[in-house]
Amino acid sequence: MKKIGCLSVLAGLLAVTTACGGEEPAETDAGTQTGTGSETSTESKAGSGAASGSENDRASAPEQIIVGTGTQFPKVAFLDEDGTLTGFDVELVREIDERLDEYEFELRTFEFTNLLLSLETEKIDFAAHQFEKNEERQAKYLFNKEPYAHWKNFIIVDQNNDSIQTLDDLQGKKVLTSATSAQAQILENYNAEHDAKIDIVYNNGGANDTVSQITTGRVDATLAADFTLPLIDPNGKLKTTGEALSSADILFLFRKDDPASQKLADAIDEALVAIKEDGTLSELSTTWLGDDFTK
Amino acid sequence: MNLDPGFIWTALRSLLQAVPTTLAITAVSSLCGLLLGTVTALLRIYRVPLLGQASSAYVTFIRGTPMLTHLLLIYFGLPLLIDGPLAGAGLPVRSAMIPMIGFAYIAFSITAGAYLSEVVRAGIQAVDRGQMEAGLAVGMTTGQALRRIVLPQAMAASVPNLSNSVIGMLHASSLAFTVSVVDINAQAQIVASTNWRYFEAYLAAAILYWGMTLALERLAALVERRISLYNRGGVSS
């Protein structure tokens, strides 16, 4: 009796496990199907023409492209709570990757100040970090043609500070900026052209202390693009002041005099036009930056 | 990418202005660290109640965390302390009165103290116990024997390790740029952003660091020779 009891229990167990085993794939199939279902719905909404047509060309292995970006730019290229790299630039690069079958992008993160050197030394193939187009950079690097955002640089001061309106008001004052940034360029150009200098305080952005440096009076101001202010100063302790110092197009940065880079840039331009036309870019901008800065 | 040797020279000259900053951070943090390290090493060797354990905790915590973390903790923590309880108690202090380099001095001294504590401890333990006992036997107090007999020999034994730590601090001082202190490496980034020749600027920084390190090595060798004279019977004091 005992033996039979044991056997029946075993048989019962076996039946249960095999039943489960039989059901499992079906279940997971269903799960993944619903998962991909929702994904593809967003994808197909986003990539109507560009992606679907060239599905068959996948046979030739896509070219591996290393994309350099950073982790210290909130909402643009940063690590979320789970440590996943995301943000406006990052998601845009992924969207472009989706639409370019001939390329496969791999994102790598660098300290911002080392991105340009990494590009030159072929550690990365292009850089995506809200790079602003200016003459100095154009002389040394290749930009793609289709901007994916537009910046206006402003002077940013403590909200109680009404004495500063223009760069001239900053003469002899301390202005915080990140070394190698486009804002540093504006300040350096000003100092090169004027006898009364602005006292530039450089940092590497590693401490995220812009707000405290300005509110404690260590420095008097900083320069930043309009949309970055709510990102670095969520509590509204600072304000923009005066007229826009410069407005610039935001582009990806490539190696100059390199045919492969030119080809990549052209391919990305084409994809960007499509991403703009179907509204995906505006959507990304609103999601990450709080407003549409792409027009 | 092509190298522009001329710019290495230009960068090198521009980097010279940052040399005093780098040297100051290295010197201050190494000296304060040595003082801190000696005190904590003695507290640990003589197993002073509470203070000895506190010293051990200090050494293991600091050696267990990165130097950049120390800097950030001091940079953000000290103002909380100063602007909170201290200013609240009516003291006329504000964190904005501390110059930026002050945070680097304090944080890196704390870092260096933990590492040098082990260096000094090894040095003291390298001195034969008999030396201490001999000192006591001729009527010195423990303090006198330490000051006159043990520590000089311990320092001599520590010189190679000490110079190692100082060189490490020289190179690590570039972290100070995180709190807007422009050291050699930071100056290299700044000068490079005028014409985007980063590699040349970093190369210039490397040359400069290497030169300074060579000088430090020479200095350490000189000190070592002078301080170990007793060992070869050169001085009879």
Side-chain angles (χ1 to χ4, degrees):
Chain A
M1 268 310 276
K2 252 189 185 171
K3 263 187 188 165
I4 295 170
C6 270
L7 270 176
S8 61
V9 168
L10 259 178
L13 272 175
L14 216 78
V16 171
T17 45
T18 46
C20 281
E23 261 167 61
E24 229 172 299
E27 254 180 359
T28 45
D29 250 356
T32 45
Q33 248 165 20
T34 49
T36 46
S38 60
E39 264 172 48
T40 40
S41 71
T42 53
E43 263 169 39
S44 57
K45 182 179 60 129
S48 44
S52 53
S54 40
E55 200 75 29
N56 303 335
D57 307 359
R58 281 265 162 97
S60 58
E63 195 181 331
Q64 195 79 27
I65 296 294
I66 309 290
V67 189
T69 186
T71 55
Q72 289 180 336
F73 200 153
K75 305 290 178 194
V76 168
F78 70 111
L79 302 173
D80 66 9
E81 296 94 344
D82 308 322
T84 321
L85 182 67
T86 187
F88 177 62
D89 279 31
V90 172
E91 296 307 329
L92 176 61
V93 167
R94 287 183 180 145
E95 181 68 37
I96 295 172
D97 188 14
E98 286 281 323
R99 296 176 186 223
L100 292 178
D101 291 326
E102 65 269 38
Y103 293 110
E104 195 171 299
F105 293 172
E106 185 190 332
L107 283 151
R108 278 207 203 136
T109 56
F110 294 81
E111 204 169 309
F112 170 69
T113 45
N114 284 330
L115 272 173
L116 298 175
L117 183 57
S118 304
L119 185 65
E120 272 177 75
T121 53
E122 309 194 5
K123 296 272 177 296
I124 58 179
D125 297 305
F126 75 93
H129 201 284
Q130 292 281 316
F131 278 106
E132 183 185 317
K133 189 173 182 175
N134 63 26
E135 275 176 36
E136 292 82 359
R137 282 176 177 169
Q138 246 178 314
K140 190 118 192 256
Y141 304 101
L142 172 72
F143 285 96
N144 64 322
K145 293 190 188 67
E146 194 68 30
Y148 62 93
H150 301 278
W151 266 15
K152 286 193 177 72
N153 281 313
F154 283 92
I155 301 172
I156 288 177
V157 292
D158 190 282
Q159 57 166 341
N160 301 318
N161 184 343
D162 293 321
S163 63
I164 291 165
Q165 300 298 327
T166 64
L167 281 178
D168 291 330
D169 297 334
L170 289 172
Q171 287 176 356
K173 297 245 164 58
K174 288 183 174 173
V175 180
L176 184 70
T177 189
S178 180
T180 76
S181 66
Q183 289 79 14
Q185 200 81 53
I186 296 176
L187 294 167
E188 282 157 9
N189 288 348
Y190 182 90
N191 276 359
E193 288 161 13
H194 295 76
D195 288 331
K197 310 276 188 214
I198 297 170
D199 187 359
I200 307 175
V201 178
Y202 291 97
N203 72 358
N204 64 5
N208 290 316
D209 57 348
T210 307
V211 176
S212 75
Q213 287 224 37
I214 293 176
T215 51
T216 57
R218 267 185 201 285
V219 297
D220 298 288
T222 185
L223 303 188
D226 40 6
F227 80 86
T228 58
L229 184 60
L231 308 181
I232 58 172
D233 175 34
N235 298 324
K237 290 179 177 162
L238 311 179
K239 65 174 181 191
T240 60
T241 182
E243 302 274 304
L245 300 173
S246 65
S247 67
D249 295 341
I250 302 300
L251 297 153
F252 297 117
L253 210 52
F254 302 80
R255 258 189 305 283
K256 211 173 185 171
D257 305 323
D258 180 347
S261 287
Q262 185 64 55
K263 190 169 154 255
L264 176 64
D266 292 342
I268 287 176
D269 272 334
E270 218 170 285
L272 260 178
V273 171
I275 291 173
K276 270 189 178 175
E277 268 173 9
D278 62 24
T280 317
L281 188 65
S282 300
E283 214 172 282
L284 277 172
S285 173
T286 315
T287 310
W288 290 106
L289 308 177
D291 211 338
D292 189 356
F293 290 96
T294 65
K295 293 272 157 60
Chain B
M1 114 178 223
N2 51 335
L3 203 66
D4 177 357
F7 186 64
I8 301 178
W9 177 242
T10 315
L12 203 57
R13 275 183 306 169
S14 153
L15 295 189
L16 286 178
Q17 59 179 292
V19 169
T21 310
T22 293
L23 282 180
I25 296 173
T26 311
V28 170
S29 48
S30 294
L31 284 176
C32 295
L34 185 60
L35 205 68
L36 201 62
T38 309
V39 172
T40 50
L42 288 172
L43 289 174
R44 291 173 76 197
I45 288 173
Y46 287 96
R47 298 214 171 83
V48 178
L50 289 179
L51 287 177
Q53 282 91 327
S55 301
S56 296
Y58 157 72
V59 171
T60 158
F61 177 71
I62 295 299
R63 293 209 307 167
T65 45
M67 194 165 158
L68 181 59
T69 309
H70 308 154
L71 180 63
L72 290 174
L73 284 179
I74 291 292
Y75 179 56
F76 287 107
L78 214 54
L80 279 185
L81 182 74
I82 291 175
D83 295 334
L86 292 187
L91 292 170
V93 285
R94 291 289 176 276
S95 63
M97 286 157 63
I98 306 175
M100 279 302 198
I101 201 168
F103 292 107
Y105 287 156
I106 296 169
F108 295 166
S109 295
I110 291 172
T111 314
Y115 288 93
L116 292 177
S117 178
E118 290 294 89
V119 170
V120 173
R121 196 167 66 94
I124 291 175
Q125 283 172 345
V127 179
D128 194 274
R129 283 179 70 88
Q131 297 283 320
M132 178 54 121
E133 285 164 4
L136 295 175
V138 296
M140 291 185 191
T141 63
T142 307
Q144 284 173 331
L146 261 180
R147 258 199 325 279
R148 297 178 186 173
I149 312 291
V150 178
L151 279 182
Q153 297 184 62
M155 286 304 161
S158 324
V159 167
N161 278 333
L162 272 178
S163 70
N164 220 0
S165 292
V166 173
I167 289 168
M169 192 50 74
L170 175 76
H171 300 162
S173 65
S174 59
L175 287 177
F177 193 36
T178 311
V179 294
S180 310
V181 176
V182 176
D183 71 302
I184 292 174
N185 204 49
Q187 185 64 33
Q189 291 184 353
I190 292 166
V191 69
S193 59
T194 57
N195 65 356
W196 311 96
R197 294 211 161 269
Y198 290 97
F199 186 66
E200 286 85 344
Y202 289 150
L203 213 54
I207 294 169
L208 206 51
Y209 276 119
W210 191 29
M212 291 163 75
T213 307
L214 275 180
L216 270 176
E217 282 171 348
R218 282 290 161 86
L219 188 71
L222 219 69
V223 169
E224 197 179 344
R225 210 175 311 149
R226 176 71 192 82
I227 212 165
S228 316
L229 277 180
Y230 74 91
N231 228 359
R232 295 177 212 132
V235 182
S236 55
S237 53

